[in-house]
Amino acid sequence: MKIAVLTSGGDSAGMNAVVRSVVKIGILRGCETWIVREGYEGLVRGNTQDYVPYEAPLADPIAAKRARGGVKSTIFENLRFGDGDLLRDGTLDHPNGRSLKGRYIVRAGFDDVRGWFAEGGTLIGTARCKAFRTQEGRLAGAHNLIKEGIDALVVCGGDGSLTGADVFRAEWPTLIDTLLTQGLITQEQHAKHGHLRIVGLVGSIDNDMSMTDLTIGAPTALQRICEAIDNINSTAASHSRAFVLEVMGRHCGWLALLAGVSTGADFIFIPEQPPQANPWEDELCEEIRRHREIGKRKTIVIVAEGAHDANLQPIRAEYVKDVLSERLGLDTRVTTLGHTQRGGRPCAFDRILPTLQGEEAVKALLESTPDTPSYMIGVRENKITRVPLMEAVAMTKAVADAITAKDFAKAMSLRDPEFLQSFENFLTTSTLFKEKQLTADKRMRVAIMHIGAPAGGMNAATRAAVRYCIKQGHTPLAVH
């Protein structure tokens, strides 16, 4: 089988690990592996320049031996094809005269993707492609794949990119019939490429895809936000200031929610669960006022990019700043983290997860038949899963529809169970409740003690336990 992999939509940390995994696992399974540069745009453009065979340098004895016909191993025959450095440095032109200009679908070897999973973004490029939304564009993409003999495609992107992949597969029989009628492919090619195998992996920093617990790039983006807020905390406390941070998440509040839990924010705004009070400004100011009354010197408010009130009116970071400044008299600043959340080296989990999912993607392609659906590779409860791609897309769109219908309870229920649990945890650890939840006869004195070597997270666990005790009416005691 000839497998091609492309990245589409917004870039996310971990996409390079996907490409690396698909290429290496594909070769180990006896397949040829190809890379499509610039997403669907590269698929539409195809190759206008012929491939120049790789000439092994003197310091590359394995490749030189392969050129002489002395190596028969599948791995060595697919070791490298000379374009890895061009893809990695992004210059297109290599000092030895090789070029990627005019070549958008290129062969990739085992060694061509060495070390890619430590790189941020996507080395093979991504681009928005209007042409692929038309049947003419998809016809050109089908022709370019058939010209290279490719019969399987791995797409890493968001729900829009994966929907495009499923449409491409559904139209495939019609597309190849048209190509045959136009004389662009032969009868033999038509028969050989009658079925296009497609599998999708979700690359999205927003973690906005349903039927998977985590999307590729989301852990790294969350880490970036936490690092930024940790840095802001010190200056906020020094000046007793309030900071309003805008984070990404146009239709999903996962980043804002988990950042609020991870950094001890005072208040968050997310699309799935807007403030209940009307006007919401009263709820915000009351919460911040309580925190300030007990001596808190800093205030952190996190606003998701797509935040809105219960009437779907947008809530902007600048307006939140004005509310805090004018009604509470706080010296308030706005920080928009922007694309720092998207870029940079991936964290460990955004190297592990794409590697495991890439392996599952190749397995799914090898097992694919014309009767099986296009699969999305996800993760549920730390297990790599396959789910029908369009079912996941439909459920994701159902969340947006519920928000539009102001059915916020349904929107929360359609997210994974950890989303609602995280929201309840945030309220428990950030809200100062006026009344205790338990009657006096049910309250306890709870001692908390750390034993053994220190570990990251001990303080966070203690903080959560203490605040839960206070909410319920228990008395927490620290054992030094």
Side-chain angles (χ1 to χ4, degrees):
M1 186 183 295
K2 292 187 177 183
I3 300 174
V5 56
L6 65 82
T7 54
S8 178
D11 66 294
S12 61
M15 281 185 164
N16 292 319
V18 169
V19 177
R20 170 185 177 272
S21 178
V22 170
V23 169
K24 292 199 168 192
I25 297 298
I27 290 171
L28 291 172
R29 294 297 180 94
C31 303
E32 282 188 17
T33 51
W34 297 68
I35 284 171
V36 181
R37 298 173 47 233
E38 311 301 346
Y40 289 121
E41 184 69 27
L43 198 62
V44 172
R45 293 186 183 186
N47 293 337
T48 58
Q49 299 291 328
D50 293 334
Y51 169 69
V52 179
Y54 174 54
E55 294 183 6
L58 294 177
D60 193 350
I62 294 175
K65 190 175 181 183
R66 180 190 68 184
R68 295 194 302 270
V71 178
K72 299 301 182 184
S73 167
T74 300
I75 296 178
F76 288 129
E77 289 174 351
N78 290 276
L79 188 62
R80 65 180 65 89
F81 294 93
D83 293 323
D85 291 340
L86 296 177
L87 291 163
R88 189 163 186 170
D89 64 25
T91 59
L92 296 179
D93 290 312
H94 197 271
N96 68 3
R98 290 184 63 80
S99 173
L100 283 172
K101 287 183 178 178
R103 293 195 297 126
Y104 288 91
I105 304 176
V106 297
R107 184 86 179 270
F110 201 88
D111 213 39
D112 289 325
V113 294
R114 182 182 296 277
W116 278 31
F117 65 170
E119 301 292 338
T122 168
L123 294 175
I124 65 175
T126 180
R128 309 287 181 184
C129 182
K130 293 182 179 179
F132 196 76
R133 297 178 182 177
T134 67
Q135 191 171 35
E136 292 77 10
R138 294 190 289 273
L139 186 67
H143 187 212
N144 290 324
L145 287 181
I146 292 174
K147 282 194 295 185
E148 305 300 338
I150 295 167
D151 42 24
L153 187 62
V154 177
V155 177
C156 181
D159 59 342
S161 301
L162 300 188
T163 300
D166 193 72
V167 170
F168 191 41
R169 183 193 174 184
E171 288 184 355
W172 186 259
T174 304
L175 295 175
I176 61 173
D177 287 346
T178 302
L179 291 172
L180 181 64
T181 302
Q182 295 177 356
L184 296 175
I185 62 174
T186 66
Q187 190 70 47
E188 182 182 358
Q189 288 175 315
H190 182 275
K192 183 178 179 182
H193 296 280
H195 167 47
L196 177 66
R197 299 166 175 86
I198 280 186
V199 67
L201 287 83
V202 192
S204 170
I205 69 168
D206 296 339
N207 198 30
D208 54 355
M209 181 65 80
S210 296
M211 301 181 74
T212 181
D213 292 343
L214 204 58
T215 60
I216 296 165
T220 299
L222 179 60
Q223 178 66 23
R224 297 281 181 276
I225 297 169
C226 291
E227 290 170 354
I229 295 178
D230 287 346
N231 293 336
I232 285 171
N233 273 332
S234 57
T235 187
S238 298
H239 296 270
S240 192
R241 282 178 176 153
F243 274 81
V244 182
L245 290 98
E246 181 183 289
V247 301
M248 288 187 175
R250 190 171 302 151
H251 304 294
C252 179
W254 186 86
L255 283 176
L257 172 58
L258 269 292
V261 173
S262 304
T263 63
D266 296 271
F267 207 90
I268 61 172
F269 292 95
I270 60 174
E272 295 89 344
Q273 188 65 67
Q276 300 301 305
N278 187 18
W280 58 263
E281 293 88 342
D282 293 345
E283 181 181 344
L284 169 68
C285 291
E286 178 62 23
E287 190 65 41
I288 302 305
R289 185 182 290 110
R290 287 185 208 163
H291 290 183
R292 288 283 175 161
E293 285 174 352
I294 64 169
K296 192 171 185 181
R297 285 183 56 82
K298 61 182 176 63
T299 297
I300 301 292
V301 177
I302 301 176
V303 182
E305 183 183 6
H308 50 75
D309 62 19
N311 294 315
L312 305 183
Q313 297 302 306
I315 296 176
R316 305 298 185 198
E318 283 291 342
Y319 179 66
V320 175
K321 170 204 164 189
D322 293 340
V323 171
L324 296 178
S325 299
E326 295 169 9
R327 295 183 56 168
L328 297 179
L330 296 177
D331 183 9
T332 309
R333 300 287 189 273
V334 171
T335 299
T336 301
L337 297 183
H339 285 75
T340 59
Q341 301 160 82
R342 191 179 290 283
R345 292 185 179 274
C347 67
F349 202 67
D350 269 329
R351 305 180 193 197
I352 298 167
L353 180 63
T355 300
L356 299 177
Q357 290 188 334
E359 179 185 18
E360 187 65 23
V362 173
K363 287 181 182 178
L365 291 175
L366 292 171
E367 296 169 6
S368 175
T369 70
D371 298 323
T372 57
S374 300
Y375 283 114
M376 181 193 82
I377 308 302
V379 58
R380 301 300 292 267
E381 298 180 354
N382 286 324
K383 293 180 175 64
I384 304 301
T385 59
R386 293 183 206 175
V387 296
L389 192 156
M390 292 314 295
E391 286 186 21
V393 171
M395 185 174 289
T396 302
K397 291 180 178 178
V399 178
D401 292 341
I403 293 173
T404 302
K406 301 180 184 179
D407 191 347
F408 303 115
K410 182 178 180 181
M412 291 291 284
S413 69
L414 289 172
R415 295 291 184 204
D416 66 84
E418 291 181 2
F419 193 93
L420 178 58
Q421 186 178 8
S422 295
F423 184 74
E424 293 172 347
N425 178 272
F426 174 77
L427 295 180
T428 297
T429 56
S430 67
T431 304
L432 286 171
F433 292 88
K434 292 181 178 179
E435 299 179 0
K436 305 303 181 184
Q437 304 297 300
L438 296 176
T439 57
D441 60 309
K442 294 182 179 179
R443 298 173 190 172
M444 301 182 293
R445 291 170 62 82
V446 181
I448 303 170
M449 178 169 56
H450 293 180
I451 298 177
M458 280 183 166
N459 294 327
T462 299
R463 170 183 176 274
V466 166
R467 294 197 173 191
Y468 180 77
C469 284
I470 293 172
K471 170 194 171 186
Q472 297 298 103
H474 306 306
T475 302
L477 301 167
V479 180
H480 187 270

